[in-house]
Amino acid sequence: MDVLITALLPDEVVSLIRQEHRVEMNGELRPMEREKLLRGLEGKDGLLCSITDRIDGELLDRAPGLKIIANYGVGFDHIDLEAVTRKGIPVTNTPGVLTDATADIAFALILATARRMVEGDRIARAGRFRFWSPLNFLGQQVSGKTLGIVGFGRIGRALAKRAAGFDMRVIYHSRTRLDLSEELKLNVDYASFEELLRAADFVSVHVPLTSQTRHLVGARELKLMKPSAYLVNTARGPVVDEAALVEALRNGTIRGAGLDVYENEPDLAPGLAELDNAVLLPHVGSATIETRTRMAHMAAENLLAGLRGEKPPNCLNWELLGGR
Ligand code: NAP
């Protein structure tokens, strides 16, 4: 069968797919342009796409024979799940394998913002590190502080484990509350969203982007946070109102922010790049060699199963398709 892979993947994974199917792959590091993607999909049976490809009705119309959409990534807000399901196409993602890498980056952002690591690096490189002094370049202690985790799924829980190593108190808010026994095991306390915003020294967001979570953190929520608090977002940019965040960072509503994702990626909200109290990463949550390789294998397994007409291991809409 014919497969389109929209992102450059490791040779070993592409070879696996090539053993069974004809493969057309985007040979460049940058995402496929929309027109190229639409044309490339024509006549294809399988699509292995990434989070930068918008999968909607227009695209699906180009490939009426499509049997599987295997997404490289856990977030699937770029996929119109309803439209895909209406066409009877299974969609898969790559959950779990990127949990640790993304939780590591969230914790790195907590440390980097509170301890002013990027600012310090800039000063040292510029030759402006001239003396040590007791009151020079002070940041905030991370150990022992309160971490508020919003969205307590795989990555949220992995972050809680890391925080335990720093003797942090962890409170969480999520759509579904854990059993008390699980809360005790993880040493976390449930809080309403407002309680969490008011109490946390660090608020880290780990919800998927949905119509309910778009701008979950806006001007009102930022005002509820402590003026000494930090916001970390490794989930999806539009979960935070970025213009409101720039304003809050500028006028001291909160002390700082660590971001891996942006509302209009790859563009940054006006003013964000000029702020010293923001640490900005280029969407690298899952970007380790180990994790990205495992994601590629997982996406390929899903693709191959779908092309065989079997239930793919990580199917998001199998039940919606009636279990087939
Ligand atoms: P997950 O296991 O599905 O966890 C998401 C959690 O958010 C679940 O506990 C879910 O509650 C909760 N939730 C959903 N809607 C909510 C709402 N309206 N209010 C409060 N909580 C809500 O997903 P994950 O694997 O941890 O990944 C989380 C997100 O991280 C992904 O969707 C993706 O967008 C992002 N991500 C980013 C990177 C990166 O490179 N920066 C890498 C990986 C993932 P339920 O338990 O009720 O479903």
Side-chain angles (χ1 to χ4, degrees):
M1 287 190 241
D2 289 296
V3 169
L4 176 68
I5 303 179
T6 68
L8 193 59
L9 294 186
D11 287 345
E12 65 190 76
V13 175
V14 183
S15 306
L16 259 175
I17 303 171
R18 280 216 164 99
Q19 280 174 17
E20 296 181 40
H21 305 284
R22 283 179 296 275
V23 172
E24 191 179 313
M25 182 170 69
N26 172 17
E28 294 174 32
L29 271 180
R30 60 172 54 244
M32 280 178 97
E33 276 161 23
R34 180 76 179 171
E35 237 347 278
K36 239 178 159 176
L37 174 61
L38 291 174
R39 261 185 282 119
L41 198 60
E42 280 170 9
K44 296 294 187 294
D45 304 287
L47 171 66
L48 198 162
C49 63
S50 88
I51 60 166
T52 50
D53 306 313
R54 183 162 42 85
I55 310 297
D56 55 12
E58 180 197 24
L59 183 130
L60 298 172
D61 287 343
R62 294 292 186 104
L66 205 58
K67 293 170 184 61
I68 173 78
I69 298 175
N71 181 49
Y72 179 96
V74 68
F76 51 90
D77 45 278
H78 58 296
I79 299 175
D80 183 343
L81 205 58
E82 228 180 274
V84 177
T85 305
R86 242 184 283 122
K87 298 265 185 195
I89 305 168
V91 185
T92 64
N93 66 345
T94 59
V97 292
L98 36 60
T99 298
D100 283 330
T102 311
D104 287 350
I105 277 290
F107 208 83
L109 283 171
I110 290 173
L111 289 169
T113 50
R115 301 303 301 274
R116 305 171 60 187
M117 289 171 71
V118 177
E119 219 184 320
D121 177 88
R122 278 197 290 262
I123 283 173
R125 280 171 201 274
R128 288 193 282 133
F129 170 40
R130 299 209 178 89
F131 49 83
W132 184 97
S133 138
L135 297 184
N136 200 17
F137 217 72
L138 302 184
Q140 296 294 313
Q141 186 99 353
V142 172
S143 298
K145 292 282 172 66
T146 297
L147 169 64
I149 301 179
V150 183
F152 208 56
R154 289 172 290 252
I155 298 170
R157 286 173 214 208
L159 181 64
K161 279 203 225 160
R162 282 146 180 79
F166 283 72
D167 297 325
M168 296 180 92
R169 176 181 174 233
V170 178
I171 52 179
Y172 78 96
H173 175 74
S174 209
R175 193 169 54 178
T176 317
R177 187 174 173 170
L178 265 58
D179 291 341
L180 190 61
S181 62
E182 254 187 298
E183 286 182 1
L184 287 169
K185 201 169 85 194
L186 292 168
N187 198 17
V188 296
D189 291 314
Y190 180 82
S192 73
F193 188 36
E194 271 204 32
E195 282 166 359
L196 181 148
L197 292 169
R198 287 181 199 281
D201 299 301
F202 298 89
V203 174
S204 191
V205 183
H206 300 281
V207 291
L209 174 61
T210 64
S211 51
Q212 282 90 50
T213 62
R214 187 173 293 274
H215 283 194
L216 185 69
V217 180
R220 180 185 158 273
E221 290 71 27
L222 291 161
K223 277 200 192 87
L224 290 174
M225 289 171 65
K226 295 180 186 180
S228 57
Y230 296 84
L231 177 73
V232 169
N233 185 9
T234 58
R236 282 289 181 268
V239 172
V240 174
D241 179 342
E242 211 170 291
L245 176 63
V246 169
E247 201 45 42
L249 290 170
R250 239 188 224 141
N251 62 27
T253 305
I254 64 169
R255 186 172 271 144
L259 306 177
D260 185 40
V261 288
Y262 305 89
E263 211 171 337
N264 295 304
E265 276 181 38
D267 298 332
L268 307 184
L272 185 58
E274 285 85 64
L275 294 169
D276 264 343
N277 55 348
V279 174
L280 309 176
L281 296 178
H283 201 150
V284 293
S286 65
T288 69
I289 293 167
E290 296 88 338
T291 293
R292 289 282 169 88
T293 306
R294 290 174 75 191
M295 286 167 68
H297 276 281
M298 205 168 182
E301 280 164 29
N302 283 317
L303 177 88
L304 293 173
L307 290 172
R308 282 194 293 266
E310 295 166 4
K311 180 184 176 185
N314 309 101
C315 194
L316 291 162
N317 59 346
W318 196 252
E319 280 70 37
L320 295 173
L321 292 171
R324 301 211 317 176

